[in-house]
Amino acid sequence: MTASRLDRRFQALRDEGRAGLVTFVCGGDPDPETFQAILGGLPEAGADVIEVGMPFSDPMADGPSIQAGNLRALAAGMTLERLLGHIARFRNGNSETPIVLMGYFNPIHKFGPERFLEAAIVAGVDGLIVVDLPPEEDAELCLPALARGLNFIRLATPTTDDKRLPKVLGNTSGFIYYVSITGITGAAAPVADMVGAAVERLRRHTDLPVAVGFGIREPEQAAGIARLADAAVVGSALVDEVARHVASGDTSGLARALHAKVEGLAQAVRRARAA
Amino acid sequence: MATAIPATTHMTTGRPNSFRAGPDEDGHFGIYGGRFVAETLMPNILELEQAWRAAKEDPGFQAELDSWFKDYVGRPSPLYLAQRLTDHLGGAKVYFKRDELNHTGAHKINNCVGQILLATRMGKKRIIAETGAGQHGVATATVAARFGLECVIYMGERDIERQSPNVFRMRLLGAKVVPVTSGSKTLKDAMNEALRDWVTNVEDTFYIIGSVAGPHPYPALVRDFQSVIGHEAKAQLLEKEGRLPDLLVAAVGGGSNAMGLFHPFLDDPEVRIVAVEAAGDGIETGRHAAAMSAGEPGVLHGMRSYLMQDADGQIVEPHSISAGLDYPGIGPEHSWLKDMGRIEIATATDQDALDAFALCAKLEGILPALEPSHALAEVTRQAPRMAKDQIIIMNLCGRGDKDIGTVAQHMGVTL
């Protein structure tokens, strides 16, 4: 099998001797046009991998920020089908930056797993993270996705012990997403020592790149993670930026402000190992 | 995906040899059930499953449970012949299984006693639960108080407004009631929030799910604790009438009181079984909570089951006058039994339930909760069509004291 866009991106990062920045935004948040502008500018702002949330009415593993982002996107008319259209438009202008869709299973279940996989590949999606599909439920989506060459990225958590890790890593590809805290997105910040130990533990079990997320908000935190792992994931802090502009009633400067935030994070991540 | 038909099926009919054998090892009832949860929770639900299996095989656990059922809950609950209602309907004999006489006023306590015994066996120090009407919250706060464990109850802000006496009751019992302001601010959001708590506090916390819903092993575990209802009813009717009933009727929200009554009778083919869903303002209005009648299979709260959802797979907000039935899903075993044709699904509107509530109060001197009032509405339709020597058992799973405010409001009465 040829290397996926994610494989190529992480190889390029290794060649550069630096960690990557993974940015998460809610698909369609706060409205379709602004979202498209946000998405389109992320690579230039320094995002190495882009995660796009598939909006869901009941995001059980997410904190208040991302819940609100999901609901804003849905209220503005986003659907899974439309979201794939936005990804396809992004792909027309960018063939290098990997896109990972992240969300919950029910919208995909309703869409039809097979039909969804076809549509996602046509749109230019590279990988999937489906929060509520553990390895025990791999048959329906994970295995067919892998068979079609899509990456299936799994979350590992502090509760995933050495006994369970092989099961979690079994059908994982692209990268492994280490959730640095037990909790929901946007909660407490991770402790560097524990993250370091966790990343080392993961590396004893896998050669996959390790991205670390949950609770990373500021450039210095991202730099701290970048010294330990292959990538730092920032989500809630970006979604909060959207919320702030929506609350002010003026979203005209939102995309630019969000990209500026990403630039700050990206610079910190790029400098981290040189410092 | 698991196969739709269990491994042990009749060779020619394709029907399972037993309807009581599920779930399979991975928690599937046919295509339903499963463990659709975030990775953080997987070690916990695997640990819970182990503890549950060990408890089931430990005669000491069953003896302990029986003793709590008898002396704390007040079991067995009576099987009562509702003679005046029977005369009024002019058909089948109607028996009520009176789980509304339990401590805390509903069947919910059966499951809570069972789960808190498991929690103490597992060494957990903190109990969380979701609640809609507040009955499960009260039952959970009750057992947490009795076993001296910290207790946090998640309840939708809207339900807190509709059920303020139960909120106060929980606080009197020492529980912390956390208002849930996300989403539709009702039961499904309370369950989301309880899951978020559990994801954050996995080490020391036990989540007492109140229905036969959620990820495996909850649907089977809650069913096992609630099956005491059906086992008692079967023995009691055999003693009174020397035979099995012709029909069982129970209301379903998540489905725990119904499964508790139905399960011991599933392999008795002469017993018809009807589950009654809340039709709210009427199925045709879209304002209802009838997942099996008007929904389709989907994945929510850790399980695959019938769900109320839109064309994009977003969960639709349910509606019922009864907060305990106001849930967009249904336990996975019910979904499977419906697909297998073993249970029939009926519906009752808010008005049907209010009418049945009034009838029961007038004829039997019992204020039923609005949940079993839905079941009673179906009984008033079924009984007149049946012969006088036929027998119906209805699960009167909760008392109506908590609902008098709602009923008064609908009658235009200010209390």
Side-chain angles (χ1 to χ4, degrees):
Chain A
M1 197 161 68
T2 54
S4 71
R5 208 178 264 130
L6 275 165
D7 295 338
R8 293 198 301 271
R9 174 53 50 101
F10 277 103
Q11 186 55 51
L13 292 171
R14 262 194 294 271
D15 293 345
E16 286 178 51
R18 69 173 178 92
L21 174 66
V22 180
T23 57
F24 172 92
V25 288
C26 289
D29 178 29
D31 60 71
E33 297 74 43
T34 313
F35 167 68
Q36 192 76 54
I38 290 171
L39 188 62
L42 282 174
E44 205 188 313
D48 296 301
V49 175
I50 300 172
E51 286 178 10
V52 175
M54 298 175 277
F56 184 46
S57 53
D58 293 77
M60 284 150 300
D62 284 296
S65 299
I66 293 179
Q67 288 172 44
N70 276 273
L71 294 182
R72 281 194 299 270
L74 291 174
M78 192 46 55
T79 63
L80 191 47
E81 185 135 39
R82 286 182 195 146
L83 183 59
L84 292 173
H86 287 280
I87 307 291
R89 240 168 292 158
F90 170 87
R91 224 5 121 217
N92 282 336
N94 179 308
S95 57
E96 289 308 311
T97 306
I99 294 247
V100 175
L101 290 182
M102 180 166 182
Y104 297 80
F105 187 42
N106 198 54
I108 297 171
H109 186 269
K110 174 71 185 169
F111 200 93
E114 289 292 331
R115 183 176 154 241
F116 168 75
L117 291 173
E118 293 278 352
I121 289 166
V122 169
V125 169
D126 301 290
L128 302 174
I129 303 175
V130 185
V131 179
D132 52 357
L133 278 186
E136 281 75 3
E137 305 288 350
D138 267 355
E140 225 166 320
L141 188 70
C142 172
L143 298 181
L146 294 175
R148 289 164 192 264
L150 276 178
N151 286 128
F152 202 87
I153 295 107
R154 201 94 66 181
L155 307 181
T157 76
T159 62
T160 315
D161 58 19
D162 285 323
K163 190 164 152 265
R164 184 159 171 84
L165 255 181
K167 181 146 197 167
V168 169
L169 291 164
N171 292 320
T172 300
S173 66
F175 62 95
I176 179 92
Y177 185 154
Y178 181 68
V179 175
S180 53
I181 51 159
T182 58
I184 51 179
T185 53
V191 180
D193 287 357
M194 290 167 71
V195 172
V199 171
E200 273 177 38
R201 185 167 71 91
L202 285 170
R203 284 192 173 137
R204 284 200 297 274
H205 287 270
T206 180
D207 294 328
L208 285 171
V210 179
V212 175
F214 279 42
I216 303 168
R217 308 187 69 87
E218 300 301 327
E220 311 84 75
Q221 290 174 311
I225 296 297
R227 282 188 275 273
L228 303 167
D230 299 296
V233 188
V234 180
S236 295
L238 303 180
V239 178
D240 282 346
E241 191 69 27
V242 178
R244 201 157 39 242
H245 284 258
V246 169
S248 77
D250 177 13
T251 53
S252 58
L254 166 56
R256 209 170 334 114
L258 192 140
H259 292 147
K261 195 158 182 95
V262 171
E263 277 168 29
L265 290 159
Q267 282 166 15
V269 165
R270 281 160 203 250
R271 279 198 308 261
R273 290 191 198 163
Chain B
M1 197 188 318
T3 51
I5 298 168
T8 51
T9 51
H10 190 275
M11 285 183 65
T12 51
T13 63
R15 281 168 76 89
N17 290 329
S18 170
F19 288 102
R20 302 180 63 209
D24 70 11
E25 221 168 90
D26 292 318
H28 296 110
F29 301 92
I31 65 165
Y32 301 106
R35 282 176 288 216
F36 296 90
V37 296
E39 180 57 32
T40 316
L41 291 180
M42 276 308 295
N44 263 50
I45 64 171
L46 293 172
E47 182 196 8
L48 174 61
E49 187 187 346
Q50 273 185 347
W52 169 61
R53 282 186 197 286
K56 273 183 25 157
E57 281 161 24
D58 175 1
F61 181 81
Q62 189 58 49
E64 200 182 354
L65 183 63
D66 289 345
S67 152
W68 283 95
F69 276 169
K70 178 168 175 284
D71 296 331
Y72 192 67
V73 177
R75 305 209 69 93
S77 68
L79 184 72
Y80 164 74
L81 174 61
Q83 186 64 59
R84 290 196 71 211
L85 181 73
T86 298
D87 295 344
H88 172 80
L89 296 174
K93 273 187 181 177
V94 179
Y95 279 92
F96 291 160
K97 179 59 175 162
R98 298 202 54 190
D99 257 52
E100 104 278 15
L101 293 176
N102 295 338
H103 180 39
T104 72
H107 71 290
K108 292 290 185 187
I109 191 83
N110 303 331
N111 166 52
C112 288
V113 165
Q115 287 201 46
I116 204 139
L117 289 176
L118 269 185
T120 54
R121 276 170 78 101
M122 293 168 74
K124 302 290 183 182
K125 300 286 177 234
R126 183 172 172 270
I127 299 295
I128 60 170
E130 84 294 338
T131 196
Q135 291 307 102
H136 174 58
V138 167
T140 302
T142 298
V143 296
R146 177 56 187 81
F147 285 78
L149 300 180
E150 182 190 346
C151 181
V152 178
I153 304 290
Y154 289 93
M155 188 167 183
E157 206 171 46
R158 268 183 46 203
D159 289 336
I160 285 181
E161 286 164 19
R162 312 196 253 193
Q163 307 282 344
S164 57
N166 270 344
V167 176
F168 187 55
R169 227 166 260 155
M170 286 183 265
R171 289 186 173 138
L172 288 175
L173 291 161
K176 184 176 163 202
V177 181
V178 180
V180 176
T181 56
S182 57
S184 60
K185 306 180 177 71
T186 59
L187 178 57
K188 82 173 170 74
D189 308 285
M191 199 152 178
N192 291 337
E193 214 54 40
L195 284 165
R196 288 178 187 124
D197 179 311
W198 205 23
V199 166
T200 310
N201 302 294
V202 285
E203 289 290 329
D204 67 338
T205 297
F206 189 102
Y207 180 13
I208 299 188
I209 289 185
S211 196
V212 286
H216 177 63
Y218 282 103
L221 179 156
V222 176
R223 173 201 72 200
D224 286 351
F225 292 138
Q226 292 293 1
S227 291
V228 66
I229 300 171
H231 286 299
E232 283 177 8
K234 200 174 196 175
Q236 288 166 322
L237 193 73
L238 283 171
E239 197 188 310
K240 284 177 194 287
E241 301 274 357
R243 68 179 188 88
L244 292 175
D246 299 281
L247 176 66
L248 302 176
V249 182
V252 290
S256 71
N257 91 80
M259 192 55 71
L261 177 65
F262 298 168
H263 197 260
F265 293 93
L266 290 176
D267 286 336
D268 300 312
E270 65 271 44
V271 182
R272 272 180 69 215
I273 300 179
V274 177
V276 186
E277 293 193 304
D281 291 340
I283 300 285
E284 68 289 351
T285 67
R287 284 175 48 75
H288 60 80
M292 287 189 288
S293 302
E296 56 191 321
V299 173
L300 181 72
H301 294 153
M303 63 181 172
R304 189 200 319 266
S305 201
Y306 279 91
L307 265 187
M308 293 172 58
Q309 55 184 317
D310 69 12
D312 189 42
Q314 309 299 334
I315 307 308
V316 171
E317 202 179 314
H319 165 78
S320 170
I321 190 172
S322 146
L325 303 182
D326 211 348
Y327 182 66
I330 174 73
E333 194 167 10
H334 285 290
S335 291
W336 178 68
L337 291 169
K338 168 193 150 64
D339 283 6
M340 298 306 292
R342 180 61 188 99
I343 65 173
E344 302 163 41
I345 314 300
T347 62
T349 63
D350 290 353
Q351 192 56 52
D352 294 339
L354 286 165
D355 293 346
F357 176 97
L359 185 71
C360 189
K362 194 177 83 178
L363 293 179
E364 294 295 342
I366 297 171
L367 296 181
L370 286 171
E371 292 80 13
S373 296
H374 287 73
L376 187 57
E378 177 63 13
V379 168
T380 65
R381 293 188 285 245
Q382 294 275 354
R385 301 203 291 259
M386 294 166 67
K388 289 192 175 190
D389 61 352
Q390 290 190 294
I391 296 170
I392 299 174
I393 298 179
M394 187 201 92
N395 196 1
L396 185 49
C397 62
R399 63 177 174 235
D401 306 51
K402 71 181 171 64
D403 294 314
I404 55 172
T406 307
V407 174
Q409 200 186 340
H410 278 263
M411 292 169 67
V413 175
T414 312
L415 295 181

